[in-house]
Amino acid sequence: MSWVIYGATGYSGGLLAERAAEAGLKPLLSARNEAKLKAVAQRLGLDYQVADVNDSAALTELATNTSVIVNCAGPFSATANQVIAACIAGKAHYIDITGEMSIFEYVQTPEITETAKAAGIVVCPGAGFDVVPTDCLAATLAQKLPSASELQLGFAGSKQLSQGTAKTTVEGLAKGGCSRVDGELQSEPVAQHTAEVDFGGAVGKKFAMTIPWGDISTAYSSTKIPNIKVFVPASKATADKARGAYKLRWLFGLKLVQNFLKRRIEKTVVGPDANARANSRMQLWGKATDAQGNAVEATFSTPNGYELTITAPLAIAEYLAKGVEVSGSMTPSQLMGADFVWSLPDVEEINWR
């Protein structure tokens, strides 16, 4: 394989680098901080190359000399556009582990889809827990019910976040919630919609609220189902507070407030350790319904989200590095197939209802 892990000094990038090294793979590690990058590379016995995300020449050089770049440097609002541009210029496939809707929407614009095709590369964001399991579930439900006009997805499990995910969450406070209605993104408060959802497995039936998960974008690209919502378990009090916070999104959007919260995250947030990852699972649920009231519903479970954010991008990077004939902007299920998630380690078979 000829591939690069960009953001190898972060939580998820570091885990991916460790797993690759354990498997005898030799990715090139890259990040902007040379001291931190050198320490990781030496510990794992891997080569490294420094590239600041705002140095387009360095990023393009990185892309020109490899076949795949796996971007693990979040928040991706600050890195994805630059790394994608370098991959197009250097003709390297691009994947990342974002869950940020703005990135998914960006890669579906003609600016990216057409230039990626012209460069002969794949651009596939969301190659981790955000959004591989839910995207594959959405595609599978759509195959079962091609007439579906409404799609509901949900997940439950560990809530311990990495610094990158926590910072992305802070950025989301300024945006509020989102659903897809009649094919269009509709801004709304987080928890605008609530329901009793049976997530299955050990989670069972829970009160749940809507959140602006990446599938509001990716599941539409994968299935063209025009109405999409994503749910997570929450108390009724939490849902009430989330709706109330929508009125204060202007405050959370202030740069001063954003910087303060992100500095707090850097001081206080650490991702789950190996024991926590090994002892927590994620439960997935989805339901597709058509205008006549026909419905299909399914559940399954995966390892901890950060564990799947190692195995999924590793599998996708291996696949792309071998050479593919497809190109352009793609979701994980479009690139790897609707059944991709069930090929990953320790993922439970789908349970139909």
Side-chain angles (χ1 to χ4, degrees):
M1 291 177 64
S2 170
W3 61 301
V4 173
I5 300 174
Y6 188 75
T9 57
Y11 178 78
S12 293
L15 291 176
L16 182 59
E18 288 178 5
R19 191 64 57 85
E22 289 170 2
L25 303 174
K26 297 290 184 181
L28 178 71
L29 307 186
S30 186
R32 63 182 181 180
N33 186 305
E34 183 168 9
K36 292 181 179 179
L37 182 60
K38 183 178 180 180
V40 174
Q42 287 184 335
R43 176 170 58 85
L44 298 177
L46 299 173
D47 292 332
Y48 72 93
Q49 183 173 328
V50 177
D52 190 285
V53 74
N54 294 312
D55 186 340
S56 60
L59 286 179
T60 300
E61 180 185 353
L62 201 64
T64 302
N65 294 314
T66 191
S67 58
V68 184
I69 291 184
V70 184
N71 182 12
C72 297
F76 295 87
S77 59
T79 67
N81 292 18
Q82 298 95 309
V83 183
I84 290 171
C87 284
I88 290 171
K91 297 186 177 180
H93 299 299
Y94 173 91
I95 65 176
D96 69 29
I97 55 172
T98 190
E100 297 167 44
M101 202 178 309
S102 61
I103 307 302
F104 297 129
E105 289 293 296
Y106 173 64
V107 303
Q108 293 298 328
T109 62
E111 174 190 356
I112 301 303
T113 57
E114 297 306 317
T115 52
K117 286 180 181 178
I121 69 163
V122 168
V123 175
C124 181
F129 185 81
D130 311 8
V131 293
V132 166
T134 38
D135 186 52
C136 289
L137 179 57
T140 301
L141 290 168
Q143 289 176 355
K144 281 279 188 178
L145 188 66
S147 59
S149 58
E150 181 179 1
L151 176 66
Q152 296 173 294
L153 299 166
F155 62 94
S158 173
K159 297 179 181 179
Q160 190 174 354
L161 306 179
S162 68
Q163 285 190 10
T165 304
K167 288 179 180 179
T168 298
T169 302
V170 164
E171 291 183 357
L173 293 173
K175 301 173 184 177
C178 187
S179 292
R180 190 169 290 270
V181 180
D182 295 332
E184 301 295 328
L185 296 178
Q186 180 169 294
S187 180
E188 62 190 24
V190 174
Q192 175 71 13
H193 310 277
T194 59
E196 291 287 334
V197 174
D198 187 352
F199 291 92
V203 177
K205 185 174 289 187
K206 297 285 185 180
F207 180 82
M209 68 181 194
T210 49
I211 62 168
W213 196 247
D215 292 273
I216 305 300
S217 177
T218 53
Y220 181 69
S221 296
S222 298
T223 70
K224 297 305 178 188
I225 296 175
N227 300 288
I228 303 172
K229 298 181 179 68
V230 179
F231 291 84
V232 294
S235 68
K236 293 182 179 180
T238 296
D240 289 340
K241 290 178 181 178
R243 286 190 293 271
Y246 188 67
K247 299 175 182 178
L248 296 175
R249 63 192 185 281
W250 64 270
L251 176 62
F252 292 113
L254 295 176
K255 188 174 182 179
L256 181 68
V257 174
Q258 285 279 314
N259 289 342
F260 170 77
L261 293 173
K262 288 178 181 179
R263 285 195 298 270
R264 289 286 298 169
I265 287 168
E266 289 172 355
K267 294 178 181 178
T268 60
V269 174
V270 293
D273 61 20
N275 184 62
R277 294 195 307 273
N279 290 287
S280 62
R281 293 185 63 81
M282 304 300 294
Q283 188 71 27
L284 286 298
W285 164 84
K287 183 177 181 180
T289 310
D290 68 11
Q292 289 71 45
N294 300 307
V296 289
E297 187 175 2
T299 64
F300 70 101
S301 73
T302 74
N304 178 277
Y306 288 105
E307 178 64 22
L308 195 133
T309 302
I310 302 170
T311 58
L314 183 57
I316 296 173
E318 286 188 279
Y319 174 75
L320 290 173
K322 293 175 181 177
V324 294
E325 296 182 0
V326 296
S327 62
S329 298
M330 308 181 78
T331 66
S333 69
Q334 288 173 328
L335 176 61
M336 304 296 290
D339 60 350
F340 168 58
V341 70
W342 291 283
S343 72
L344 298 174
D346 204 22
V347 175
E348 179 191 68
E349 290 298 317
I350 195 166
N351 299 302
W352 293 101
R353 293 177 178 171

